[in-house]
Amino acid sequence: MTRFIDTHDMSKLVNLSGVAGFIRQLVDYIEYDFLRWGEFDKTPRVASHSDIGVIELMPAADSAYYGFKYVNGHPQNTLHNQLTVMAFGALAEIATGYPLLLSEFTLATALRTAATSVLAAKYLMRKNARHMAVIGNGAQSEFQIIAFSEVLKLTDFWLYDVDDTATEKLAANLRDYAGINLHFCRSVDEAVAQADVITTITADKTNATIISAAQVKPGMHLNAVGGDCPGKTELEARILSEADIFVEFTPQSRIEGEIQQMPDDFSVTELWQVLRGERPGRKSDTAVTVFDSVGFAIEDFSTLRLINDMARQHHIGSTVRLVPAPANPRDLYRFLKHPE
């Protein structure tokens, strides 16, 4: 039997410890897996692109489990009151190939993206950072703010979106959240003027300059989340050439990340190398660091492990007959006529 986690079950899992508590656990799971990076079978995600969006499969495996995520990205969906990003994931055991878990992953993706952002920032931002600009106030924004506030103790968040209603939505959702000060800004310039950290999470599938080199000050950390497919970027290329750049999985990031703007031999550091102490992270308080985040399958693998562990521990979710179980495994045909 396969454990099935739907959207209501995912809400139950998260509410056991709250959004912040769930993200804290997820940071630990992702960090654990990044520290054993070499144990994984890794590949860039398999993508099917169209003019209006992308559908992707993201697989990863270690010696015990195989996991994958199906995910889309269709920015125009919001015009029809539909989600831009939707996902589901599965976890199977390597020993038999049997699926252990089938789970919703739309909510989970937002949580794991925030968890990965704070994991990177823990190693890359200045220790005294307290202010973050959030450019793009859509579906990801609340998760990022809660994560940076609760895990890294940032206090002030300077908000800008081309759509004022997105910022109003964000502010309403977090109005009563203790320890978070929200500032409604009328331009990117106003938002980044006070920032130690800049998080960009815009949705449009286009090569854009959301942040220019002139807006970047010494000591900043840029958490570039929105550029996640070919032809979609948020940072001026000059920022990349002048900063220290950190990525998840270089072969994928060169296709989909901000560094798609740069030559193939452009030097970057993979985040796991920093976590393991093999490469330096932030070199000084005046250095500019960029986490060129596109989302990588090991992060989803970590999330699937956490969901599976919590669901079984707390008996959340249902079981489904995803795989037939005939009395005689060599007689699959009989199962159609006499399902046991």
Side-chain angles (χ1 to χ4, degrees):
M1 300 289 281
T2 303
R3 186 168 296 271
F4 177 59
I5 301 296
D6 67 10
T7 55
H8 290 92
D9 296 326
M10 183 60 69
S11 295
K12 291 178 185 178
L13 287 174
V14 173
N15 287 326
L16 288 171
S17 56
V19 172
F22 189 91
I23 289 174
R24 285 181 187 276
Q25 293 180 82
L26 191 46
V27 169
D28 291 341
Y29 270 63
I30 296 171
E31 185 165 16
Y32 173 81
D33 285 339
F34 270 45
L35 286 170
R36 59 190 189 99
W37 188 264
E39 299 178 21
F40 283 90
D41 182 9
K42 302 175 287 292
T43 184
R45 53 188 161 205
V46 181
S48 176
H49 294 280
S50 68
D51 291 339
I52 58 172
V54 62
I55 295 175
E56 300 168 326
L57 289 177
M58 302 175 63
D62 64 4
S63 60
Y65 300 112
Y66 174 94
F68 78 86
K69 180 175 77 173
Y70 164 101
V71 63
N72 79 308
H74 286 73
Q76 295 184 23
N77 278 5
T78 55
L79 299 177
H80 310 289
N81 201 32
Q82 296 175 318
L83 291 170
T84 296
V85 176
M86 297 162 283
F88 66 85
L91 188 70
E93 59 181 9
I94 291 291
T96 65
Y98 269 73
L100 303 174
L101 176 73
L102 179 63
S103 178
E104 91 79 36
F105 226 80
T106 307
L107 293 165
T109 292
L111 291 157
R112 81 93 162 109
T113 301
T116 305
S117 291
V118 296
L119 175 60
K122 183 171 78 168
Y123 287 87
L124 300 178
M125 78 177 193
R126 296 197 326 273
K127 298 305 180 185
N128 63 348
R130 292 294 178 267
H131 296 246
M132 183 165 83
V134 182
I135 312 303
N137 300 158
Q140 285 276 342
S141 56
E142 292 91 345
F143 298 92
Q144 292 280 332
I145 290 172
I146 291 171
F148 274 85
S149 172
E150 292 285 348
V151 180
L152 298 178
K153 306 306 179 186
L154 273 64
T155 57
D156 287 77
F157 298 86
W158 305 80
L159 316 176
Y160 176 71
D161 195 293
V162 293
D163 180 1
D164 286 349
T165 63
T167 308
E168 291 165 359
K169 173 270 307 178
L170 189 166
N173 284 339
L174 299 185
R175 181 173 293 118
D176 298 325
Y177 211 98
I180 293 177
N181 302 312
L182 302 177
H183 307 275
F184 197 125
C185 300
R186 293 296 178 184
S187 67
V188 173
D189 281 335
E190 182 184 353
V192 303
Q194 306 295 329
D196 305 306
V197 177
I198 299 174
T199 290
T200 55
I201 37 178
T202 61
D204 287 344
K205 186 180 178 182
T206 183
N207 288 122
T209 302
I210 305 300
I211 303 296
S212 67
Q215 294 167 318
V216 177
K217 301 189 295 285
M220 276 185 167
H221 171 61
L222 280 69
N223 178 39
V225 179
D228 58 2
C229 66
K232 182 183 178 187
T233 56
E234 296 178 312
L235 306 183
E236 182 183 1
R238 182 182 156 197
I239 296 173
L240 306 175
S241 64
E242 297 177 353
D244 296 321
I245 312 301
F246 301 85
V247 301
E248 291 139 312
F249 186 52
T250 305
Q252 180 173 295
S253 297
R254 292 202 189 280
I255 297 169
E256 301 181 343
E258 295 296 331
I259 62 171
Q260 67 184 271
Q261 306 177 70
M262 310 306 286
D264 290 342
D265 59 353
F266 180 70
S267 178
V268 299
T269 299
E270 293 188 338
L271 183 60
W272 69 270
Q273 296 174 299
V274 178
L275 272 59
R276 288 175 59 92
E278 297 180 11
R279 297 282 297 274
R282 170 166 290 277
K283 298 173 183 175
S284 71
D285 281 349
T286 58
V288 174
T289 54
V290 175
F291 179 44
D292 183 7
S293 174
V294 298
F296 185 56
I298 289 178
E299 298 151 26
D300 300 312
F301 179 95
S302 305
T303 309
L304 286 164
R305 286 201 305 110
L306 176 58
I307 293 169
N308 190 54
D309 289 349
M310 291 184 67
R312 292 178 186 278
Q313 177 184 353
H314 297 284
H315 306 288
I316 291 175
S318 57
T319 55
V320 294
R321 296 182 180 275
L322 192 61
V323 177
N328 178 358
R330 293 187 175 185
D331 191 359
L332 187 60
Y333 181 81
R334 177 178 172 81
F335 188 86
L336 287 175
K337 301 296 184 181
H338 305 283
E340 288 86 358

